[in-house]
Amino acid sequence: MASQDWFDRDFYKVLGVAKDVSDADLKKTYRKLARQYHPDSTQGDPVAEAKFKEISEAYAVLSDKEQRQEYDQIRAMGSGSARFQAPGSSGGGFEDVFSRFGGGTRTQQADFDDLFAMFGEQSGGRFGSGRFGQPTGGFRGFGGPQRGADVSARTTLDFQTAVKGETITLQGEDGKPFKVKIPAGVSDGQKIRLRGRGRPSPDGGEAGDIVVSVTVRPHPVFSRDGLNLRVTVPVTFTEAALGATIEVPTLGGDPVKLRVAPGTPSGRVLRVKGRGVESSKGTGDLLAEVQVAVPAHLDDRAREALERFQDLEPKENPRAELMSRARE
């Protein structure tokens, strides 16, 4: 970016910071904006890419102590009564500008090159030295430091580790092990990002991240429903018909007792509060779905008892409503 642009560009406004912003707050703000508008995140959005270039140019100037001082001087000079005008126009000309810097006499035929050459002499020629657009001066010449590349990794977890959370060890690209903290409640297909653990920047910027893709093995008994855990619990016909107190397993803990009300149908869900997934987003419940187990083998006495019950049970057709609705 040409030095003349500094008169017209408010880099503080571009970054949304005050003119007395500290170096730490400036860097924090830039990193937040850079993550938001980085081309890798915006997937070819030309508006976001232009915004990224703009904030990178602003940060490149304001993060450099000497350039920031020069920029503030230029902006202060341009904000007063002096205005740069074309030769022959009325009002204050270049004489007003240069009078602030020692009263030197210049004619209105002087151009911007003369002005910036003066600043270059005062600052050892660094002003407008072509930092923007250099191969190592930022993302594709956008002016800010280039972020290091991300590194992808994969891991497969057992169901309980995913639900409870744990610190595991993985092997990096270079063969060296590194630790990953698995948060409680991570789900199958989720990605865990380890900030700053990827490849280093080629020009002193932020390091990339390690992005770990998680696969969770199915559990033989439990399944996930958001933060809730689901389990299917078989009950006998007599337990469902007459009611009973049954034991239900919990993940990695002691079983809990549940009351099955008389006449409980197959498929009814009983809830155990707070025995689901515990995560930073909250705590789920354990959902126990009752399934009536039909005996596969009956001895003669059991068969005779059921036949007597059949003679005594209400003569309602449990499929009557189903048939009626099917004809709608």
Side-chain angles (χ1 to χ4, degrees):
M1 182 179 64
S3 301
Q4 292 93 320
D5 290 345
W6 287 14
F7 283 97
D8 301 320
R9 302 289 297 281
D10 189 342
F11 291 150
Y12 295 102
K13 185 176 181 180
V14 168
L15 296 174
V17 296
K19 291 184 179 180
D20 59 350
V21 64
S22 66
D23 292 342
D25 289 340
L26 179 68
K27 185 175 184 180
K28 181 179 179 181
T29 301
Y30 166 72
R31 286 185 172 181
K32 180 180 178 181
L33 292 172
R35 284 194 297 267
Q36 180 180 351
Y37 294 103
H38 196 281
D40 289 346
S41 302
T42 55
Q43 298 182 347
D45 182 351
V47 176
E49 186 167 323
K51 181 66 175 177
F52 182 83
K53 177 180 178 181
E54 187 179 28
I55 63 176
S56 296
E57 289 173 341
Y59 180 74
V61 173
L62 298 184
S63 62
D64 185 291
K65 184 177 180 180
E66 294 182 17
Q67 287 202 67
R68 181 174 177 178
Q69 183 179 10
E70 293 168 353
Y71 171 78
D72 289 341
Q73 290 174 348
I74 291 291
R75 292 284 297 176
M77 179 183 65
S79 64
S81 60
R83 294 291 185 268
F84 288 87
Q85 299 182 358
S89 59
S90 61
F94 285 105
E95 296 88 353
D96 300 321
V97 176
F98 287 98
S99 64
R100 300 187 184 188
F101 294 89
T105 59
R106 303 261 179 166
T107 67
Q108 289 185 329
Q109 299 302 316
D111 56 20
F112 286 106
D113 292 335
D114 298 327
L115 173 62
F116 287 94
M118 179 188 71
F119 282 100
E121 293 166 2
Q122 293 178 349
S123 58
R126 293 186 66 256
F127 189 71
S129 59
R131 290 191 173 193
F132 299 106
Q134 294 300 321
T136 59
F139 179 81
R140 299 172 187 167
F142 284 1
Q146 182 177 351
R147 183 177 176 275
D150 291 342
V151 175
S152 298
R154 295 181 179 275
T155 186
T156 300
L157 308 174
D158 62 67
F159 190 87
Q160 184 164 329
T161 298
V163 170
K164 302 292 185 181
E166 187 178 305
T167 298
I168 64 173
T169 301
L170 299 178
Q171 184 170 316
E173 290 182 327
D174 56 1
K176 295 181 180 179
F178 64 94
K179 293 186 180 297
V180 181
K181 183 177 181 181
I182 303 298
V186 66
S187 57
D188 184 59
Q190 186 173 335
K191 294 183 178 181
I192 301 173
R193 184 174 292 271
L194 307 178
R195 299 286 183 186
R197 303 277 294 276
R199 293 185 180 135
S201 165
D203 54 4
E206 291 183 85
D209 304 331
I210 296 179
V211 181
V212 182
S213 298
V214 175
T215 300
V216 180
R217 298 188 189 96
H219 195 278
V221 171
F222 297 96
S223 62
R224 286 279 299 273
D225 182 4
L227 292 180
N228 296 325
L229 293 177
R230 285 188 170 272
V231 60
T232 300
V233 184
V235 297
T236 66
F237 171 76
T238 54
E239 288 174 331
L242 303 177
T245 298
I246 63 173
E247 283 192 339
V248 176
T250 62
L251 183 65
D254 296 329
V256 295
K257 292 185 177 182
L258 282 180
R259 176 64 184 169
V260 178
T264 294
S266 187
R268 176 170 291 178
V269 176
L270 308 178
R271 185 181 297 268
V272 184
K273 281 286 192 181
R275 298 305 293 267
V277 179
E278 297 182 20
S279 74
S280 59
K281 298 179 180 179
T283 301
D285 303 327
L286 175 63
L287 306 179
E289 180 179 338
V290 173
Q291 290 290 338
V292 177
V294 179
H297 303 284
L298 295 173
D299 60 22
D300 292 340
R301 293 181 60 190
R303 181 178 296 276
E304 290 174 2
L306 277 177
E307 289 173 347
R308 289 196 302 272
F309 171 77
Q310 186 178 31
D311 293 336
L312 297 173
E313 70 177 336
K315 300 306 179 183
E316 300 173 352
N317 182 358
R319 295 172 295 279
E321 183 180 0
L322 175 67
M323 296 302 179
S324 175
R325 294 179 64 183
R327 288 191 289 268
E328 292 179 357

